[in-house]
Amino acid sequence: MRIWNLLHKLLLGLILVGFPLPIVAAETYDENQLKAAITYNVAKFVKWPDGTFVDAKAPLVICVIGNDRVAAGFESLEGQFLGERPIKIYYLASMDDYQGGHILYVTHSKDYHVDEILTVLQDSPVLTVSDIESFARRGGMVSLLKMRKNIRFAINLDASLSVDLKISSKLHALATEVIRNGD
Amino acid sequence: MWVKLQHPDLFSYLSRLLIVLCLVSGFVTTPVWSKGLMEMSLEELMTLQVTSAAKVPTSLLKTSAAIYVINQEDIRRSGANSVPELLKMVPGVNVAQLDSNRWAISARGFSGQFANKLLVMIDGRSVYTPFFSGVLWDVQDLVLAEIDRIEVIRGPGAALWGANAVNGIINIITRSAEETVGTEVTAWVGTEERGGLSLMQSSRVGSNSYLRLTAKGFIRDDSQLNGADADDDMTMGRVGFRWDYTGQTWNGKTTGGFYQGQNGANFDLVSHEGDYHHLFNDDTNMLGGHLLTSWSRQLNKKSSYSFQFYFDYSHREEALYDEDLLVLDTEFQHNYEFSPGHKLTWGGNIRTYFDDTTAHSHFFIDPASDRYNLYSAFIQDDYALLENLTLTLGSKFEHNDFTGWEVQPNGRLLWEVSETVSLWGAVSRAVRTPARYEATGQIVVALYPPGHDLNPTPIPAIYNFRGSDDFKAEELTAYELGLRSLVDEKLSVDFSIFYNDYKKLRTGTDPESTVIVDALGAYIELIGTANNELEGSTYGFEAAVEWQLTDAWKLLGSYSYMEMNFDFAGQLEAFLNSFYARHQASLQSRFNLPHNVETDLWLTYTDEIAVQDQPEIWDLSIRFGWQPTPQWQLELIGQNLLHDHKKQLTSEVISMVSSELERGLFFRVNYKF
């Protein structure tokens, strides 16, 4: 059959010119789930001001703003716990829907709303995280950065300290970039 | 074109072995999820590699239809410069270019310039013309960068979409203006794609609203006819906008567009004069526009509803006829989860067509101007029988002015075998309601010169097809089965089989013949009147595979096979209904080189179309892309590379002359800021 002939000639041709054949493929992960998992892990290194939670079992509220595919990654966090705290996730279309929370994740579709979102949260002890690269430089606390195939992050300590959020120094060591005292 | 090796058997054996090895290794390497993401430490997470989503996202695993999705990446890397070209990658969809501006596109057989069993929608707006129930592809265009995805469903979708969604549905969906904030400019220049410019600019215009403006203009070079230029070049300009609003209670999208263009086209006005043929070239002028607005509201977690309204105007001046068409359409839909496990969707639609035609030659329609309505209601319930077994039952009840009420039910069953495998099956009924010319028109279809098999007389015979008030809707009962699987993160496969049972298909009565003598001589006028006497079945198999071989190399393949089982009453009947390719295939290789260089090959195969002596066609396009910075993209694209010039299909109507498409090369640059 001609299709078969052509297929095998094409494939063999490609192999001959040096295309590697992957007999065993490297394991990769869904980018959006990974971003959610990193956000969850970063939260482990954050201490909220006293009185933020009623008790040790009070839920940790994560708000995800933006309706793109990144938000879908957070579904994997539903039903999880951070220590003893159950995680609650709210998906917001805009800040009009915001009714408080401990972490706010800004998806990259909200790039043009960043200033507005951060203004609303100006004095609230809310950990702000985003996959918008410039987020930390623009006053957000944690930017997730895609570097080649890995996800890394940058943190802005000025932003977190201004609302009394304490980010552990262990996290400073893992960050690709740490912004403090304005640079 | 291939280097001849000395031991073809060995060559063939080795490569088959390699292919089998590759396939087997692809199937057996299941991902080792030794640890879930949630159990990993931050350090571990930072070492993980991410993948871009596979072609079969989870949502497709929950779809009980033969669906194929063309996404942004597919559009960019295909090198295609228009929507019809993209559809060649979809299994089961036949795409043939008749000249530089006319296309024949259909799914699961019954192709032709006036193919009438496919429904095409752009952002919820139906773009088929009720004139012949088909699509004028030359005016269906967009700035490619504004397309989010093209969903192609083979098989009936009439229970949701209504009459004419018989053999397939093409849904072109544009991106929200919020997603395209910024400016994007694309320009191209080349031998066939002579030159063009498209602009897209989106910005925020209010606290919850975004606006996108688009403009596009291009010139496409003519093809070849009888060794000379075919003069079928095309010039087109269009502007459009999309406004998206995300409010507290209402979400809305409003789109509008306007286009104007001119095509060259070749015609053959057959008559009893001279050698019976009169070839000539004429310009077709097109102009049109639309305005659509759609609003949805989420009442609570279980209930949402939406309204949509649009009008669409088109004006076309062609050699055989002029046509003005205005469409007004209003739609309502309500989604409601009325009890756990039941997802109910119901809605209604009213559409009115106003047309005005002027027949010039070889075409006649009476009344010249008419108004007709279409109104419908549909209801569908998705019911989770078990946790992973979903039954979908639904029907459309549609009234049209030609045949009255039509009921189009379907039943679908989806079994999500695991998180990566789903099986589905469907039984559905769909109808194709009469087109305007089938009810009230007449058109010259064929010419039999003296000596032709069908003409024993010494004078020419001209065959006319005449519409009839008694013409009924064509009916299809379709049986489908499908399997979809994310074999692993690197490999996804999609298979479907179908058996289509057609009843009451359009054909003509035995022609009445009249000998007509005038100053130019004598001829026989044959008139066949539309009836619904044809029936038969088709069956086939379709497969699509997407395989990320390495981080840098991806292969996408599709293959389809189909057969027709009809007892044709004559040569003409067989000719008009048998435009299909038994085998069709497409193979795309997308390879990333260092420094953001991309090399993409796309090979397509279409089997011969026996009834019109159209030989099989192999074709190839190649794309080299380079992104020197994130803002710039430069591309060099070659299309129809395997032939200097090649005819792809002959029109079913003798007066429409197809030409030969030429090899083309163009350079395209894209700048985003």
Side-chain angles (χ1 to χ4, degrees):
Chain A
M1 219 171 91
R2 292 196 62 171
I3 293 161
W4 179 257
N5 276 329
L6 204 102
L7 186 70
H8 80 233
K9 282 176 184 168
L10 185 76
L11 194 67
L12 200 65
L14 289 171
I15 292 161
L16 290 176
V17 296
F19 284 72
L21 259 184
I23 298 299
V24 180
E27 195 177 348
T28 53
Y29 292 85
D30 177 74
E31 183 171 337
N32 302 326
Q33 286 185 12
L34 188 54
K35 285 174 180 170
I38 289 179
T39 305
Y40 167 77
N41 270 277
V42 165
K44 291 178 180 167
F45 295 89
V46 176
K47 194 172 173 297
W48 275 265
D50 294 342
T52 304
F53 297 97
V54 180
D55 58 43
K57 289 182 179 172
L60 178 87
V61 175
I62 302 179
C63 297
V64 183
I65 183 165
N67 55 3
D68 60 35
R69 292 168 185 118
V70 184
F74 279 83
E75 284 169 16
S76 56
L77 286 184
E78 282 167 12
Q80 298 283 335
F81 285 81
L82 187 76
E84 286 183 291
R85 300 186 191 288
I87 292 177
K88 283 203 147 185
I89 306 199
Y90 295 108
Y91 300 94
L92 317 179
S94 72
M95 279 310 271
D96 298 336
D97 303 332
Y98 177 74
Q99 293 173 340
H102 306 110
I103 299 178
L104 182 85
Y105 190 96
V106 183
T107 70
H108 60 70
S109 67
K110 291 285 172 188
D111 200 344
Y112 288 78
H113 293 278
V114 167
D115 296 340
E116 184 189 320
I117 292 168
L118 292 176
T119 311
V120 175
L121 298 178
Q122 219 164 21
D123 304 313
S124 318
V126 175
L127 179 72
T128 53
V129 185
S130 174
D131 51 329
I132 298 164
E133 277 192 28
S134 57
F135 188 69
R137 266 176 276 125
R138 288 154 72 181
M141 294 173 201
V142 181
S143 289
L144 303 187
L145 316 167
K146 192 172 170 190
M147 303 184 81
R148 298 188 65 84
K149 295 243 147 190
N150 303 117
I151 306 287
R152 299 291 159 85
F153 59 89
I155 52 181
N156 180 339
L157 294 177
D158 295 341
S160 57
L161 288 172
S162 73
V163 292
D164 218 16
L165 276 184
K166 294 194 175 62
I167 297 183
S168 152
S169 58
K170 282 181 197 154
L171 202 66
H172 305 179
L174 291 171
T176 304
E177 188 186 351
V178 179
I179 297 168
R180 74 184 104 193
N181 305 325
D183 57 39
Chain B
M1 61 175 286
W2 300 101
V3 182
K4 217 173 180 134
L5 292 186
Q6 293 219 313
H7 303 287
D9 290 345
L10 182 67
F11 176 88
S12 155
Y13 174 76
L14 275 177
S15 57
R16 279 171 200 221
L17 188 71
L18 263 170
I19 291 173
V20 170
L21 270 176
C22 294
L23 289 174
V24 167
S25 69
F27 276 98
V28 296
T29 51
T30 45
V32 192
W33 293 82
S34 47
K35 227 176 175 185
L37 284 174
M38 290 303 127
E39 285 90 58
M40 292 189 200
S41 70
L42 193 53
E43 289 90 335
E44 283 174 298
L45 291 171
M46 286 168 63
T47 63
L48 296 184
Q49 295 206 339
V50 295
T51 177
S52 38
K55 179 57 141 283
V56 184
T58 344
S59 59
L60 286 195
L61 286 165
K62 294 186 187 296
T63 307
S64 50
I67 188 171
Y68 187 96
V69 180
I70 299 170
N71 60 26
Q72 262 288 318
E73 178 78 353
D74 295 324
I75 294 173
R76 193 173 68 83
R77 299 202 64 165
S78 67
N81 211 27
S82 67
V83 173
E85 294 165 55
L86 287 164
L87 302 172
K88 288 184 191 173
M89 69 178 78
V90 186
V93 172
N94 186 275
V95 179
Q97 201 171 347
L98 296 150
D99 64 16
S100 81
N101 54 65
R102 295 193 283 212
W103 300 82
I105 299 177
S106 75
R108 296 181 172 170
F110 301 99
S111 188
Q113 185 182 350
F114 302 99
N116 56 24
K117 294 178 181 53
L118 187 70
L119 179 68
V120 181
M121 325 252 298
I122 301 177
D123 283 330
R125 174 173 55 100
S126 164
V127 297
Y128 83 85
T129 161
F131 244 62
F132 62 92
S133 299
V135 175
L136 293 160
W137 282 98
D138 51 358
V139 296
Q140 311 310 336
D141 192 23
L142 290 158
V143 172
L144 290 181
E146 69 177 316
I147 300 175
D148 181 67
R149 63 192 188 278
I150 303 176
E151 297 180 351
V152 184
I153 299 164
R154 289 102 58 196
L160 272 183
W161 307 103
N164 295 66
V166 177
N167 274 19
I169 301 125
I170 295 176
N171 257 322
I172 301 172
I173 297 153
T174 63
R175 297 156 82 186
S176 89
E178 183 173 359
E179 280 180 64
T180 55
V181 168
T183 304
E184 191 165 337
V185 183
T186 308
W188 60 95
V189 59
T191 61
E192 293 303 304
E193 295 291 334
R194 282 307 276 274
L197 181 69
S198 76
L199 306 164
M200 177 165 99
Q201 205 275 331
S202 309
S203 50
R204 191 176 166 206
V205 291
S207 60
N208 296 313
S209 92
Y210 291 83
L211 179 68
R212 174 167 69 229
L213 302 172
T214 52
K216 180 178 181 177
F218 68 87
I219 300 171
R220 191 175 295 140
D221 196 30
D222 61 1
S223 55
Q224 212 179 99
L225 183 65
N226 303 326
D229 286 344
D231 284 332
D232 58 341
D233 48 313
M234 173 174 188
T235 311
M236 184 60 122
R238 63 174 59 240
V239 289
F241 77 90
R242 173 170 168 149
W243 174 58
D244 284 281
Y245 175 82
T246 315
Q248 288 276 35
T249 47
W250 289 94
N251 290 327
K253 126 189 132 195
T254 303
T255 70
F258 173 81
Y259 65 84
Q260 184 165 17
Q262 191 173 62
N263 290 336
N266 292 291
F267 300 91
D268 180 6
L269 289 190
V270 293
S271 71
H272 54 300
E273 186 185 355
D275 69 350
Y276 315 130
H277 294 279
H278 174 51
L279 278 173
F280 75 102
N281 181 279
D282 193 33
D283 283 338
T284 301
N285 293 305
M286 300 93 70
L287 178 152
H290 83 273
L291 190 66
L292 175 146
T293 188
S294 163
W295 292 85
S296 64
R297 180 176 181 173
Q298 189 83 36
L299 285 176
N300 53 51
K301 267 199 162 167
K302 290 179 175 165
S303 175
S304 66
Y305 59 91
S306 62
F307 295 96
Q308 179 179 287
F309 171 78
Y310 70 80
F311 85 83
D312 187 310
Y313 171 75
S314 61
H315 170 77
R316 193 175 181 92
E317 293 166 18
E318 207 171 305
L320 306 187
Y321 68 96
D322 297 346
E323 177 198 338
D324 268 49
L325 180 69
L326 176 67
V327 188
L328 296 175
D329 184 290
T330 313
E331 190 181 296
F332 165 78
Q333 187 173 321
H334 182 208
N335 302 311
Y336 180 45
E337 197 174 332
F338 66 92
S339 78
H342 280 282
K343 280 184 192 150
L344 183 77
T345 311
W346 65 277
N349 169 264
I350 300 174
R351 188 183 298 167
T352 306
Y353 293 103
F354 302 85
D355 72 17
D356 188 14
T357 62
T358 309
H360 297 309
S361 186
H362 287 60
F363 181 85
F364 167 83
I365 201 153
D366 179 47
S369 177
D370 204 359
R371 189 187 90 175
Y372 31 104
N373 300 305
L374 195 68
Y375 42 91
S376 67
F378 79 93
I379 184 159
Q380 175 168 306
D381 182 32
D382 288 293
Y383 174 50
L385 296 171
L386 297 167
E387 195 185 340
N388 50 15
L389 195 65
T390 309
L391 176 69
T392 304
L393 288 175
S395 182
K396 185 121 182 168
F397 307 90
E398 188 171 75
H399 183 276
N400 71 83
D401 285 355
F402 300 106
T403 62
W405 284 101
E406 301 288 350
V407 180
Q408 304 179 83
N410 75 2
R412 293 173 183 273
L413 197 61
L414 173 72
W415 178 27
E416 291 167 73
V417 182
S418 72
E419 282 191 352
T420 57
V421 179
S422 67
L423 274 168
W424 60 271
V427 180
S428 27
R429 179 178 191 269
V431 304
R432 185 186 69 82
T433 53
R436 174 89 142 87
Y437 87 91
E438 289 165 328
T440 57
Q442 182 168 323
I443 185 167
V444 174
V445 176
L447 162 91
Y448 308 130
H452 187 278
D453 293 353
L454 299 176
N455 183 6
T457 73
I459 52 172
I462 294 173
Y463 183 92
N464 287 263
F465 174 85
R466 179 178 284 175
S468 160
D469 281 345
D470 294 331
F471 183 66
K472 311 265 186 327
E474 299 184 331
E475 298 176 2
L476 163 68
T477 309
Y479 306 86
E480 300 173 90
L481 277 178
L483 166 78
R484 210 169 264 134
S485 173
L486 285 167
V487 177
D488 65 19
E489 290 291 304
K490 304 269 177 186
L491 180 70
S492 71
V493 295
D494 185 343
F495 301 105
S496 53
I497 54 173
F498 68 93
Y499 176 82
N500 282 355
D501 188 16
Y502 296 92
K503 294 270 186 319
K504 297 192 190 169
L505 285 188
R506 178 191 71 208
T507 186
T509 53
D510 282 340
E512 297 166 35
S513 51
T514 317
V515 177
I516 295 180
V517 183
D518 63 16
L520 295 167
Y523 71 101
I524 301 167
E525 185 186 62
L526 300 170
I527 296 181
T529 305
N531 68 17
N532 301 78
E533 301 283 294
L534 183 64
E535 56 179 62
S537 60
T538 62
Y539 56 91
F541 165 81
E542 290 140 6
V545 177
E546 179 170 333
W547 187 15
Q548 185 83 45
L549 289 101
T550 69
D551 284 345
W553 191 23
K554 182 188 259 192
L555 288 179
L556 292 102
S558 72
Y559 167 76
S560 54
Y561 167 80
M562 75 163 275
E563 276 298 350
M564 285 189 86
N565 193 359
F566 275 72
D567 224 356
F568 291 116
Q571 212 182 75
L572 183 66
E573 192 172 272
F575 177 78
L576 292 173
N577 293 290
S578 308
F579 290 14
Y580 74 103
R582 191 165 279 130
H583 302 277
Q584 257 183 220
S586 152
L587 181 67
Q588 297 180 75
S589 161
R590 300 180 187 161
F591 193 76
N592 299 336
L593 293 166
H595 309 293
N596 299 318
V597 174
E598 299 162 336
T599 55
D600 303 320
L601 281 91
W602 186 6
L603 185 73
T604 54
Y605 171 78
T606 309
D607 203 357
E608 61 166 6
I609 294 173
V611 289
Q612 54 169 263
D613 299 322
Q614 170 65 53
E616 59 175 19
I617 305 173
W618 285 99
D619 232 320
L620 179 70
S621 43
I622 297 182
R623 168 183 176 273
F624 293 103
W626 181 39
Q627 275 183 278
T629 72
Q631 283 81 37
W632 287 93
Q633 176 175 257
L634 311 172
E635 297 168 285
L636 185 66
I637 296 160
Q639 296 178 309
N640 298 333
L641 290 173
L642 300 187
H643 310 280
D644 290 340
H645 46 90
K646 178 102 182 163
K647 185 169 171 175
Q648 299 184 359
L649 193 77
T650 304
S651 175
E652 59 273 40
V653 175
I654 193 164
S655 49
M656 304 283 174
V657 178
S658 308
S659 49
E660 298 175 358
L661 280 302
E662 296 173 313
R663 179 184 293 123
L665 193 69
F666 68 99
F667 173 74
R668 189 163 67 180
V669 55
N670 174 283
Y671 179 60
K672 281 185 212 179
F673 56 97

